[in-house]
Amino acid sequence: MLQTLWRFLSSLFTRAICQGPAEGKENGARETTPIPDPGDQGPNLLGKPQDRGADPTERRPTILLVVGPAEHFPKKIVKAGDKDLDGQLDFEEFVHYLQDHEKKLRLVFKSLDKKNDGRIDAQEIMQSLRDLGVKISEQQAEKILKSMDKNGTMTIDWNEWRDYHLLHPVENIPEIILYWKHSTIFDVGENLTVPDEFTVEERQTGMWWRHLVAGGGAGAVSRTCTAPLDRLKVLMQVHASRSNNMCIVGGFTHMIREGGPKSLWRGNGINVLKIAPESAIKFMAYEQIKRFIGTDQEMLGIHERLVAGSLAGVIAQSSIYPMEVLKTRMALRKTGQYSGMLDCAKNILSKEGMAAFYKGYIPNMLGIIPYAGIDLAVYETLKNTWLQRYAVNSADPGVFVLLACGTISSTCGQLASYPLALVRTRMQAQASVEGAPEVTMRGLFKHILKTEGAFGLYRGLAPNFMKVIPAVSISYVVYENLKMTLGVQSR
C-alpha cells in the first residue's frame, strides 16, 4: 500500500507542478459521454443502467476515451495495458487497464484523504510527502492542486483525482527516492555516516547486498587513493602544535624521508579491511532498529533516520573499534616498529592490555550524533531546495548535483564533529607509561584549549578537507561501474 502511494506521489510531484490540467487531452484524447465506472462489474461497464441509489461521488465518473489508432495512445498506457504484447491496445485490454488502474487510484486517494471527508487539500498532500521523506512548500502543494482542481475550490474530490490520473499509468519506480537515496554511499573515509535504505523490492530481489558490495568496493578504492592525505591528517592531529607547526608539504616530506613513498599508505590496509564488517553490522543493526521503532513506512523520516542511523553506528563502531585503534597506531608507526597488523596488535595487548583497544571510544561515539545529524540535515535541505526550484520535468538531479550535495553535507558533518575526532585520535595514539596518569577526554580538551586555543581542536583539518572531493568523486565513479558489473540497474 505504501509503495503504491509513493509511486503515485513521486510521479505527481515531478509532473503536476509544471503541467496544466489539460494534460490528459493530448495524444488524440477527448472527453466523451459519461460511461459507468470501470471499477464496476462487466454489465455496468458495457453501458447498462447504474444503481440510482448509489453515492454520486462513487458512481458517476467521467471516463476519458482515446479516439484514434493505437499508435496515438501514450506509450506508457499501451505498455501497461498490452497483455498479448502485440503492440496494440484493443477495447478489452483498455477496459482491463482502466479497472486495474482505478483500483490503485482509489487506494491512493483514500490514503491521501487523511480527514476522511472525500476531499484532498494542500496540507494532506504535504503531510503525505513528508511521511515519505520529501518536504515540499505550500506553494508547490497548491500548484499540484491547481493542476487537478476543475471547480476552483483548491481541494480535489474523487472525480477530479480520477479524471486527472486515469490515463497516467502507475510509475514502476518512485523517482525521487531512486535518484537521491543512494547518494549516501559516497565514501569520504569517515565511519559515522547513516546507513542507506533499501526498498521492499530491493530487499526481496537481493539487490541490497549488491549495493553494499559495490559501496564497499568503491570505499576501498577511494580510501586507498586518498590514504596519504588521511595519514597526514593523523600525524598532524597527534604531533602538530604551536611549537611544531607541521604544514602539508612538510608533513609529506617528513613521511617520505622517514619511510619512503610506500610509507604514505601506512594504516590503509586495516582501514580498508574494516569496511566490510562495519557495513554489514551497521546495515543489519539499522534494519532491526527500524523494526523496533515500529514504523510501517518504507522510508524513514529524517528524525527517525537520525535516531536509527546513530544507534546502528554505535553498534557497528563498538564491534570493530579495536580495528580503529590499530589503524591509528599503524599510521603513526615508525619504520621497523611493527612487522604487520598482527604484530602491532600483539604488542599493544602485551604492553598496554585489552583496555588500550578502546581508547578514545567515548569521543568517537559522541561524534556520531553531530556528524550524522548535520550531514543528514544539510543533505535533505539541499535535496529539497533543488526539488522545489529545479524539478520541472524530472526528479533526476544529475551527477554533478549529487556530487555537490554529498560533498557539502559531508564536509559540514566533519566540521561539526572534528574536535571529537581529534581527541579520539590523540587518545588512541597514547602509549601507556607505567605510573603515568591516564588522560581523559575532558582533560585532553582542557589541555588543548589551554596550550593551543580553539584552533588546536582543528589540527589536520586542511588535509582532511582536501581529501573530500577526490574521495567522493572516486567512490561515485567506482560505485557506478561496480553496480553495472554486478547487474544493478543505474538510476
Side-chain angles (χ1 to χ4, degrees), residues 397-418:
V399 174
F400 292 109
V401 173
L402 285 178
L403 288 174
C405 291
T407 302
I408 293 170
S409 63
S410 175
T411 301
C412 291
Q414 289 185 69
L415 187 62
S417 64
Y418 195 82

Side-chain angles (χ1 to χ4, degrees), residues 11-160:
S11 61
L12 175 67
F13 178 68
T14 56
R15 183 179 66 240
I17 61 173
C18 60
Q19 294 178 342
E23 181 185 340
K25 299 183 181 181
E26 63 183 6
N27 294 317
R30 64 183 177 86
E31 269 190 37
T32 65
T33 305
I35 67 172
D37 192 331
D40 295 340
Q41 297 178 355
N44 281 342
L45 190 65
L46 295 176
K48 292 190 177 182
Q50 298 181 35
D51 181 4
R52 296 182 180 276
D55 182 353
T57 63
E58 293 289 325
R59 309 287 294 194
R60 198 186 64 222
T62 299
I63 299 284
L64 293 176
L65 290 183
V66 179
V67 179
E71 58 265 22
H72 292 164
F73 280 31
K75 292 181 180 179
K76 287 184 178 181
I77 296 178
V78 176
K79 185 177 179 180
D82 185 16
K83 300 299 181 184
D84 55 11
L85 303 179
D86 62 352
Q88 302 292 322
L89 195 65
D90 57 32
F91 179 74
E92 184 178 357
E93 288 173 330
F94 185 55
V95 167
H96 282 301
Y97 162 74
L98 292 176
Q99 289 175 326
D100 181 62
H101 196 50
E102 182 161 357
K103 289 177 184 177
K104 295 173 182 176
L105 285 172
R106 285 184 183 276
L107 289 173
V108 176
F109 184 83
K110 289 179 180 178
S111 297
L112 288 170
D113 184 18
K114 299 184 180 298
K115 299 175 184 176
N116 294 319
D117 59 357
R119 294 182 174 275
I120 300 171
D121 58 28
Q123 293 300 320
E124 288 171 323
I125 290 178
M126 292 172 65
Q127 182 60 48
S128 296
L129 280 168
R130 192 179 300 117
D131 290 344
L132 292 165
V134 176
K135 295 180 181 179
I136 63 172
S137 64
E138 187 171 356
Q139 289 76 15
Q140 278 187 298
E142 289 175 355
K143 285 182 181 179
I144 294 174
L145 282 175
K146 286 179 181 177
S147 68
M148 293 178 276
D149 181 25
K150 294 181 178 180
N151 54 18
T153 61
M154 288 307 291
T155 60
I156 308 166
D157 60 22
W158 162 242
N159 289 331
E160 291 171 325

Side-chain angles (χ1 to χ4, degrees), residues 93 104 156 168 229 245 253 256 272 281 284 297 300 311 313 327 333 338 362 368-369 383 392 405 417 433 473 485:
E93 288 173 330
K104 295 173 182 176
I156 308 166
H168 290 111
L229 285 167
N245 192 17
T253 303
I256 294 173
V272 169
I281 295 170
M284 290 187 291
Q297 297 178 17
L300 297 182
L311 290 175
K327 177 243 179 183
R333 80 183 190 273
Y338 307 118
I362 294 176
I368 291 175
I369 298 174
K383 177 184 78 172
V392 178
C405 291
S417 64
V433 179
S473 304
T485 303

Side-chain angles (χ1 to χ4, degrees), residues 180 183-188 193 371 375 378-379 382-383 399-414 468-469 472-473:
W180 288 92
S183 55
T184 54
I185 206 68
F186 298 148
D187 191 293
V188 292
T193 52
Y371 182 96
D375 187 19
V378 172
Y379 188 80
L382 294 173
K383 177 184 78 172
V399 174
F400 292 109
V401 173
L402 285 178
L403 288 174
C405 291
T407 302
I408 293 170
S409 63
S410 175
T411 301
C412 291
Q414 289 185 69
V468 170
I469 293 178
V472 169
S473 304

Side-chain angles (χ1 to χ4, degrees), residues 276-350:
E278 185 190 19
S279 298
I281 295 170
K282 188 184 289 186
F283 171 72
M284 290 187 291
Y286 187 65
E287 291 299 312
Q288 293 301 316
I289 293 168
K290 281 172 64 176
R291 293 190 182 96
F292 179 77
I293 290 175
T295 178
D296 59 354
Q297 297 178 17
E298 186 175 328
M299 309 301 288
L300 297 182
I302 184 171
H303 295 100
E304 293 171 317
R305 209 172 164 219
L306 174 60
V307 173
S310 297
L311 290 175
V314 168
I315 293 170
Q317 282 283 288
S318 299
S319 303
I320 58 99
Y321 193 74
M323 299 177 77
E324 292 281 350
V325 176
L326 276 176
K327 177 243 179 183
T328 299
R329 293 294 183 91
M330 292 291 287
L332 293 170
R333 80 183 190 273
K334 297 178 180 178
T335 302
Q337 185 174 357
Y338 307 118
S339 59
M341 287 183 285
L342 289 177
D343 183 52
C344 179
K346 288 178 181 178
N347 189 282
I348 294 172
L349 186 62
S350 62

Side-chain angles (χ1 to χ4, degrees), residues 233 237 414-422 457-461:
K233 178 193 74 173
Q237 285 179 329
Q414 289 185 69
L415 187 62
S417 64
Y418 195 82
L420 286 164
L422 180 136
L457 295 172
Y458 290 90
R459 297 283 182 187
L461 187 64

Side-chain angles (χ1 to χ4, degrees), residues 431-469:
S432 295
V433 179
E434 189 174 351
E438 285 287 337
V439 179
T440 64
M441 178 183 72
R442 185 177 178 182
L444 201 49
F445 265 117
K446 285 184 176 180
H447 174 74
I448 293 172
L449 289 172
K450 182 179 179 180
T451 58
E452 303 179 52
F455 180 77
L457 295 172
Y458 290 90
R459 297 283 182 187
L461 187 64
N464 187 64
F465 280 176
M466 285 173 64
K467 73 174 185 173
V468 170
I469 293 178

